[in-house]
Structures are given as structure tokens and as C-alpha cells.
Amino acid sequence: MNTPTKNVFFSGETEARAVLAAANHFGVSPDQVVFDRVEKRHGFVKRRRVVIRVDPQEVGPRSEAHQATDELTDERDGETAAESASVHSDDALAEAAEEAPAPDMVAPEDVDSPAVDSEEILEIAQQALRQLLELADLEVSAEMVLADGRLEVEIEGVDQELLVEDEGQVLLALQHLLPRVMFRELGRIVPCRLDSGGYQRRKEERLRGLARRVADEVVSRGGIRTLRPMNPADRRIVHLTLADDPDVETESQGNGYFKRVNIRSV
């Protein structure tokens, strides 16, 4: 007998932003999300919240872009702290990873990938981000820089604060979906890091602080601590923060996009 699939609920300032959050959660394009709009509600600041209900079994199939990037994500996230330290033994590579841990995928090293110059990548990125921002109904603008194969995007504007509400739900969704939308034109993944008003930087600092505090706790008390479910980018920050600590080791646990990180004493 099959166990009924539980519906998952998502909310946002608009229906489009709720759908964007659902797409980010399931790792699919927004147009692959089948949903019911169930209610409107008011929060503490009396802003309208739109709530949608999604049956996971009715979510559309994952695109080629999502499948490709998820495979890369799983490979990277499968590293323990010790393995991560070994993989990133090159100082320059480790430094680059520390400075930009937010991307949840790396560009595949495929010699058959079509050659695209920087200007074309930026043009495609601008168009893709414009589509996502229109979907989210956000009045913002973005500045983009392509450096070392990674797209750095800074977003600002009238609706800037809406990007970082609910723990940066919309900003995270945009960062997760932008490389997938670009994949349609490029045929390959370009790692993207989106930020707004220094939100990502502050979040990364908090995660590093959390990782170190929990590491100190398991060293002093022994045993193991399991952190809350995290997306690949956040898990990567925890792994890298503790990669050189000889007293602890980290390992991701679970399946899917959101996994927990175990921190244990050694």
C-alpha cells in the first residue's frame, strides 16, 4: 500500500514569488510547478501573503539542466571535511572557494561544451535574470561581473528588501534558478552568486560562526551534532569552515536538495 504524498506549502508576497520558492525547493523550472492557491494571510507587519499548495507527485520532470547540476552538486556535497581539504589543497582554489561558497554547482569540465565569450554570457545572464525578476514582480536592477568563470550579481532597487525576507528565500531561489535558465542558451552551467546589500556575506559569516561553535561543543562533550537541513551552498560553507580542523569531521546526511550536516568529534 502506497503512503499518500504530503502536500507542501509555500508563501510569498505574490503568487509568482510563492511559485518561485516552490521551484527552488523542488529543483525545477517555475512553469513545472502545479499548485493550488489556498489562502491569503497577513503577517505581523500586515503584508499580504499568498499561500500555495503543491503536491510533489504533480511537479513536472526535472530538466536536463537540473539533472546535470544536481549530479555535480551530489558529487561535491558527498565530500567529508577531510576529503574537502584534500580536494582543495591548492591554496588559490581553496581561497576562491572560501570567498564564494554560495554557488551550489561547478561548471563541468567538458571539452565539447560550446565556446562562448564573456560578452555573450553576460548578455544571456542579463536576459535570464530579467525573466526571473519579471516573474517575481520585483522592481530592482542588477550589476553583473564575470570573473574566473563565475557570475557575480549584485541586486538593488525599490524591492531590494523583499529579496532577503524569510531567510533570503527569493534571493536563494533566483540564485538557484538563474544558472538553469542560462543553460538553455549556453548548453553548460555557469556558477552564479547573487547578493543584495551584503546579505550573502553576513549569512556566510553566521554559518561559519555556527560551524565553529558546534565544533567546539562536540570536541568538549564528544558525540555528534546534526544541523538543520541546508541547501548545497550553505552545507559547503560548513564543510569548508571545518575542513582543516583535526578534531572534527563533517558529513552530509539525507537525500534531495536539502540535507543535514553531521559534525562529530574524532
Side-chain angles (χ1 to χ4, degrees):
M1 180 175 179
N2 293 330
T3 303
T5 303
K6 292 184 178 180
N7 292 322
V8 185
F9 295 85
F10 302 90
S11 67
E13 292 289 326
T14 66
E15 181 179 287
R17 291 174 202 162
V19 172
L20 202 66
N24 175 53
H25 177 82
F26 291 110
V28 298
S29 299
D31 58 5
Q32 294 174 297
V33 177
V34 179
F35 65 92
D36 294 317
R37 183 165 170 167
V38 295
E39 67 172 304
K40 296 179 181 179
R41 69 185 185 190
H42 295 273
F44 179 76
V45 294
K46 299 187 183 300
R47 285 182 178 172
R48 185 180 69 178
R49 303 289 292 181
V50 177
V51 180
I52 63 174
R53 177 177 54 222
V54 179
D55 182 346
Q57 291 186 337
E58 296 184 0
V59 175
R62 302 173 72 80
S63 67
E64 180 183 353
H66 284 90
Q67 292 172 358
T69 52
D70 283 350
E71 289 175 2
L72 290 167
T73 297
D74 289 342
E75 289 177 4
R76 293 182 67 80
D77 193 53
E79 301 171 352
T80 61
E83 292 168 335
S84 180
S86 175
V87 171
H88 300 288
S89 58
D90 181 87
D91 292 339
L93 181 59
E95 181 179 356
E98 256 321 307
E99 290 177 353
D104 63 343
M105 76 289 290
V106 293
E109 297 179 359
D110 186 351
V111 294
D112 295 326
S113 296
V116 183
D117 61 30
S118 298
E119 291 185 5
E120 186 173 354
I121 291 176
L122 288 172
E123 183 178 345
I124 291 173
Q126 290 168 353
Q127 182 179 358
L129 183 58
R130 190 179 305 116
Q131 293 173 357
L132 290 171
L133 292 175
E134 288 177 358
L135 173 64
D137 192 25
L138 291 168
E139 188 177 342
V140 292
S141 60
E143 292 187 2
M144 298 183 178
V145 176
L146 186 64
D148 298 326
R150 183 179 65 243
L151 189 68
E152 298 279 352
V153 183
E154 180 67 27
I155 303 177
E156 60 182 15
V158 176
D159 292 334
Q160 178 175 335
E161 293 184 0
L162 299 178
L163 290 168
V164 299
E165 286 187 344
D166 300 326
E167 297 186 353
Q169 182 182 77
V170 175
L171 186 64
L172 178 61
L174 292 172
Q175 177 172 277
H176 179 65
L177 294 171
L178 179 58
R180 277 80 175 172
V181 177
M182 293 172 61
F183 181 90
R184 300 171 186 171
E185 296 292 330
L186 291 172
R188 64 184 177 89
I189 288 295
V190 175
C192 299
R193 182 181 189 275
L194 276 63
D195 203 356
S196 183
Y199 174 82
Q200 291 278 33
R201 175 182 52 79
R202 293 191 297 272
K203 180 181 178 181
E204 291 162 13
E205 290 174 354
R206 289 196 299 271
L207 284 170
R208 292 188 185 101
L210 172 65
R212 294 187 181 102
R213 288 195 301 274
V214 174
D216 290 341
E217 181 179 329
V218 298
V219 168
S220 61
R221 299 182 180 180
I224 182 174
R225 281 284 306 276
T226 301
L227 305 182
R228 61 175 175 78
M230 296 181 180
N231 62 65
D234 291 352
R235 295 195 302 270
R236 182 164 171 75
I237 294 172
V238 174
H239 288 311
L240 287 173
T241 298
L242 302 178
D244 296 326
D245 190 328
D247 298 321
V248 298
E249 63 180 12
T250 64
E251 184 178 16
S252 292
Q253 177 186 34
N255 298 311
Y257 183 71
F258 290 93
K259 300 177 185 177
R260 298 177 181 272
V261 176
N262 292 332
I263 302 177
R264 62 169 60 87
S265 59
V266 294

